[in-house]
């Protein structure tokens, strides 16, 4: 439950749900499950593209609702396939979003009960949906030596929360992790490997799919008998063999606890290629939009960047601004550039 104290735009930092309101109001909201409300026929036609929310608020106070989605719009996707599902009295109605932005579908003048973002399926074996994704790793504290559970999921906070609750019941500890550094695609398989001998079960290949938050999520179990000296974990797309994620593990002072070691590549990349980025960074409006949605910059800072009179000055001001915000912000910009302009990143990294 959130009490919004005045008119304005507010976003929940836990769920990503946002509201534009005319006046002070109290809103009650929570996660619901898609499979409880989507009929079998609808599940054949539609794929959930974000959490389903149950929302209660007095009428005509909310001007717009921002529903989180995990579709990667930087890829070539048909946005006309996006709809907002509204469930009421056991029936589903579909509405087109007022606008679609990087991580939210915006619906103006909404009515409330159950709302969520759906994406229409295309009947093509060649089609797969690009999404923002997360890698979750848990260490089983009671298991022999080093036993890990690795999950690959769309960036859906409702699913992430359900996994965390289940793993805590299994006496597991979440290990901080980087997200994949390339866009992943629903419907593809991704191969998990280790630089040191490890037993990976039931299979190295992990199907990437969206499962409902009340279903058992897919994971691979990784057993490493000897962690001395650490090990690296890699993930590749079986469709084209391209590496999409990597990280390193090493044992800490307490042998029952793993320390996560991963390089914030973004900071090093920005420092090494600052001059080239000032001259060659394109699609600035899209980059700024992603940074706004990721809460790296605010509207005043966006105006400061856009207020410069040349593209080179705009890029320089943005890079300096992000640098001041720390390593995490630089890593975020690096990942956004990989999505928006992967050819620039590839050219700079491999020249």
């Amino acid at each position: 439950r959130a009490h919004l104290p005045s008119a304005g735009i507010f976003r929940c930092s836990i769920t990503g749900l946002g509201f534009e309101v005319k006046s002070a109001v109290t809103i009650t909201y929570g996660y619901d499950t898609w499979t409880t409300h989507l009929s079998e026929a609808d599940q054949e036609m539609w794929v959930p593209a974000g959490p389903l929310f149950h929302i209660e608020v007095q009428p005509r106070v909310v001007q717009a609702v921002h529903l989180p989605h995990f579709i990667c719009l930087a890829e070539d996707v048909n946005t006309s396939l996006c709809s907002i599902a509204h469930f009421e009295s056991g029936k589903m109605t579909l509405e087109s979003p007022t606008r679609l932005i990087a991580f939210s579908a915006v619906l103006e003048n909404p009515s409330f009960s159950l709302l969520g973002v759906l994406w229409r399926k295309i009947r093509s074996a060649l089609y797969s949906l690009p999404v923002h994704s997360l890698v979750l790793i848990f260490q089983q504290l009671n298991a022999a030596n080093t036993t890990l559970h690795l999950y690959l999921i769309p960036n859906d906070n409702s699913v992430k929360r359900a996994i965390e609750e289940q793993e805590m019941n299994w006496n597991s500890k979440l290990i901080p992790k980087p997200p994949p550094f390339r866009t992943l695609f629903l419907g593809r398989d991704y191969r998990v490997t280790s630089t040191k001998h490890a037993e990976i079960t039931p299979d190295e290949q992990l199907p990437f799919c969206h499962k409902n938050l009340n279903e058992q999520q897919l994971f691979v179990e990784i057993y490493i008998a000897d962690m001395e000296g650490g090990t690296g974990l890699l993930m590749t797309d079986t469709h084209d063999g391209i590496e999409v994620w990597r990280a390193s593990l090493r044992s800490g002072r307490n042998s029952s606890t793993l320390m996560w070691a991963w390089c914030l590549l973004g900071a090093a990349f920005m420092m090494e290629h600052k001059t080239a980025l000032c001259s060659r960074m394109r699609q600035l409006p899209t980059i700024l939009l992603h940074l706004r949605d990721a809460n790296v910059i605010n509207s005043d800072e966006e105006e400061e960047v856009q207020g410069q009179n040349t593209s080179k000055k705009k890029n320089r001001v943005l890079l300096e601004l992000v640098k001041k915000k720390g390593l995490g912000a630089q890593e975020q910009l690096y990942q956004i550039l990989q999505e928006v302009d992967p050819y620039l990143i590839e050219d700079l990294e491999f020249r």
Side-chain angles (χ1 to χ4, degrees):
R1 174 175 295 182
H3 176 69
L4 309 183
S6 63
I9 302 175
F10 301 86
R11 184 183 299 274
C12 173
S13 61
I14 297 173
T15 64
L17 190 62
F19 298 95
E20 299 178 29
V21 298
K22 300 177 183 178
S23 61
V25 68
T26 297
I27 304 177
T28 302
Y29 55 96
Y31 293 127
D32 211 310
T33 55
W34 282 106
T35 50
T36 303
H37 304 282
L38 275 179
S39 68
E40 290 186 7
D42 287 332
Q43 291 179 48
E44 291 295 317
M45 296 177 59
W46 298 93
V47 59
L52 179 64
F53 292 96
H54 184 272
I55 303 171
E56 296 179 359
V57 61
Q58 68 185 77
R60 296 180 293 279
V61 176
V62 177
Q63 294 176 300
V65 60
H66 295 237
L67 296 164
H69 70 77
F70 49 70
I71 306 302
C72 181
L73 302 183
E75 299 290 327
D76 185 19
V77 295
N78 183 355
T79 56
S80 68
L81 300 176
C82 178
S83 291
I84 294 177
H86 184 193
F87 297 93
E88 197 166 24
S89 302
K91 296 181 179 179
M92 181 178 77
T93 57
L94 297 172
E95 299 180 73
S96 297
T98 308
R99 61 186 184 278
L100 197 60
I101 57 180
F103 298 99
S104 299
V106 182
L107 182 64
E108 294 180 353
N109 302 314
S111 56
F112 290 105
S113 60
L114 290 167
L115 287 175
V117 181
L118 290 175
W119 211 270
R120 192 175 185 88
K121 294 182 180 179
I122 294 180
R123 302 293 182 182
S124 170
L126 300 177
Y127 179 77
S128 53
L129 198 57
V131 304
H132 300 288
S133 56
L134 296 173
V135 175
L136 300 179
I137 295 186
F138 294 84
Q139 182 188 6
Q140 293 245 277
L141 298 179
N142 292 340
N145 293 323
T146 301
T147 302
L148 307 172
H149 289 172
L150 184 149
Y151 297 80
L152 178 61
I153 62 170
N155 190 359
D156 182 328
N157 283 335
S158 65
V159 174
K160 179 176 180 286
R161 179 181 177 185
I163 291 173
E164 289 174 340
E165 290 178 352
Q166 177 64 77
E167 285 286 345
M168 295 309 137
N169 290 334
W170 293 343
N171 194 26
S172 301
K173 177 180 179 180
L174 176 66
I175 303 173
K177 72 292 167 191
F181 46 74
R182 293 184 183 273
T183 301
L184 304 191
F185 294 83
L186 285 180
R188 291 189 185 177
D189 290 343
Y190 292 87
R191 187 184 306 278
V192 180
T193 56
S194 172
T195 59
K196 179 174 283 191
H197 176 71
E199 296 178 20
I200 301 177
T201 55
D203 188 26
E204 289 184 350
Q205 291 192 188
L206 185 59
F208 186 37
C209 59
H210 181 271
K211 296 179 74 68
N212 208 48
L213 61 92
N214 62 345
E215 297 177 295
Q216 175 60 57
Q217 303 296 318
L218 300 177
F219 65 88
V220 295
E221 183 174 270
I222 303 171
Y223 171 71
I224 305 170
D226 179 14
M227 274 295 296
E228 186 175 353
T231 187
L233 295 178
L234 306 173
M235 190 180 295
T236 55
D237 189 335
T238 59
H239 176 74
D240 51 24
I242 293 177
E243 183 180 306
V244 298
W245 177 84
R246 61 183 177 272
S248 299
L249 288 172
R250 66 176 184 269
S251 57
R253 293 180 181 175
N254 182 343
S255 60
S256 68
T257 304
L258 286 176
M259 295 180 61
W260 188 259
W262 60 283
C263 178
L264 282 172
L265 300 176
F269 180 85
M270 298 300 162
M271 180 179 297
E272 182 178 356
H273 301 292
K274 180 178 179 180
T275 301
L277 288 170
C278 286
S279 301
R280 299 177 56 189
M281 197 160 58
R282 301 289 185 266
Q283 304 185 53
L284 190 62
T286 302
I287 294 170
L288 291 171
L289 178 63
H290 279 277
L291 290 171
R292 280 283 305 279
D293 281 327
N295 295 318
V296 175
I297 63 172
N298 57 38
S299 57
D300 291 338
E301 291 166 334
E302 181 179 6
E303 288 181 8
E304 179 185 356
V305 173
Q306 293 284 38
Q308 308 303 311
N309 56 11
T310 67
S311 59
K312 190 171 183 178
K313 288 182 179 178
K314 291 179 181 179
N315 289 341
R316 182 182 295 111
V317 169
L318 176 60
L319 291 171
E320 291 174 353
L321 181 64
V322 171
K323 182 179 179 181
K324 291 178 182 178
K325 290 180 178 282
L327 297 177
Q330 293 174 74
E331 180 70 15
Q332 188 76 48
L333 176 56
Y334 176 63
Q335 293 178 19
I336 290 169
L337 285 173
Q338 286 185 322
E339 293 185 9
V340 172
D341 197 349
Y343 298 108
L344 172 61
I345 299 296
E346 184 177 353
D347 181 57
L348 293 176
E349 287 187 330
F350 297 102
R351 49 164 53 182

